[in-house]
Amino acid sequence: MPGKTPVIAMVAAGVFGVAAGGWPVVTSGLGGDSGPSMRTQLASVLDDQRWATPKPGSWTMPKPAANGLPPVINHIETQERVVFLTIDDGYTYDSEFVNLVRKEKVPILTFLTSTYIKGQGQYFWAMRNAGSQMENHTVTHPNMATLSAESQKKEICDSSDAIQKQYGRRPQVFRPPFGSYNQTTLQAAKDCGIKSVLLWSAEFYNGTSGPGVGYNGFARGDGGKGFKPGDIILMHYRKGLAQEFQMILGWIRQAGFRPAAVENYLPRSLGGNAPDQPSHA
Ligand SMILES: [Zn+2]
């Protein structure tokens, strides 16, 4: 297979170039006739990043929905003092943040609004390389529940297509903007290859003000205070994210919690990495 080794070497050089402070060039090698095989090899290079898996028996595996549509998940039932950091949108970016994520080795799940890939693809490539999977947050960030079935499907499928093309893996988890969805959204998501819908149980209003909690405030959906095991925390790519990230990391550690990778708590059938429980059929 002539040509295979040079391709891998080139991709690896691009990936590891980030660590040396340079930005890899993402788009030049992708697409065209050699696209799919290139992407397969790219995925295998990136596959090295592994986050700790939960202790067997320490958590309850989220279940598929009875109607066959992607289940909607807003927290994980677990006995471990873990929380899950998820960061949305991608409209603004902070290169210091990527350095911090790499240095602190913190698992982040990114929900990318794919219009922002244009021009900023390399930033999220660096995030991907720091171990953040790129999941689906639509193309243009609409209120999904107000759209037709056709428009909803286009928002989800086109975003998955763009993310797959750029980052070598098709998103399997979807987060609707504003947490707004209906049954049509779930069907559209399924049609686009989405396995589960991930909402959140708490929000860190990093770089902005939240109702009743002020600037850089933290609010639980259940009205309580502080962290609870299995919280899925919503944040946003905003200016100043590096500092805000240090802030919440400090709170998490002070409370005796640690950030964990939510994808490792979801079974493969729901878009995660955990083995599915054996069926008793
Ligand atoms: Zn959003």
Side-chain angles (χ1 to χ4, degrees), residues 88-89 137 141 236:
D88 288 9
D89 298 357
H137 196 47
H141 208 274
H236 288 88

Side-chain angles (χ1 to χ4, degrees), residues 191-262:
D191 293 346
C192 299
I194 295 294
K195 306 275 179 55
S196 59
V197 169
L198 205 76
L199 300 181
W200 57 92
S201 55
E203 177 163 1
F204 175 32
Y205 290 90
N206 65 291
T208 188
S209 289
V213 292
Y215 190 76
N216 280 338
F218 178 86
R220 303 191 52 80
D222 63 12
K225 294 253 182 280
F227 304 110
K228 287 185 183 169
D231 269 339
I232 297 171
I233 299 172
L234 168 64
M235 298 174 58
H236 288 88
Y237 284 97
R238 295 195 182 106
K239 286 259 188 289
L241 183 58
Q243 272 186 310
E244 295 148 11
F245 175 68
Q246 277 180 312
M247 192 182 291
I248 193 166
L249 212 49
W251 296 341
I252 289 169
R253 288 169 176 167
Q254 205 164 34
F257 282 77
R258 65 181 164 84
V262 68

Side-chain angles (χ1 to χ4, degrees), residues 25-163:
V25 176
V26 179
T27 49
S28 63
L30 297 174
D33 291 336
S34 65
S37 68
M38 164 72 109
R39 283 195 288 277
T40 304
Q41 292 166 33
L42 201 55
S44 71
V45 170
L46 292 171
D47 219 23
D48 292 343
Q49 183 64 260
R50 296 267 182 236
W51 301 113
T53 52
K55 256 191 235 121
S58 67
W59 91 110
T60 304
M61 195 88 83
K63 304 243 179 331
N67 58 12
L69 295 176
V72 179
I73 297 163
N74 70 3
H75 73 289
I76 301 289
E77 291 287 345
T78 176
Q79 295 152 18
E80 293 184 303
R81 289 175 77 81
V82 292
V83 295
F84 307 105
L85 298 178
T86 63
I87 311 187
D88 288 9
D89 298 357
Y91 180 60
T92 59
Y93 37 90
D94 176 349
S95 63
E96 186 50 32
F97 173 67
V98 184
N99 293 335
L100 260 176
V101 170
R102 295 181 66 87
K103 188 171 137 246
E104 299 279 351
K105 297 192 177 9
V106 175
I108 304 280
L109 195 61
T110 295
F111 288 93
L112 194 57
T113 300
S114 64
T115 43
Y116 303 147
I117 293 176
K118 252 183 220 145
Q120 300 310 327
Q122 293 171 359
Y123 180 79
F124 295 101
W125 185 260
M127 276 303 296
R128 175 65 190 84
N129 191 35
S132 176
Q133 268 179 207
M134 294 296 142
E135 299 291 3
N136 188 319
H137 196 47
T138 73
V139 176
T140 67
H141 208 274
N143 181 340
M144 293 293 271
T146 67
L147 301 184
S148 69
E150 193 190 357
S151 302
Q152 293 203 42
K153 194 171 164 185
K154 192 167 167 51
E155 281 285 343
I156 301 174
C157 284
D158 287 3
S159 176
S160 279
D161 290 349
I163 291 169

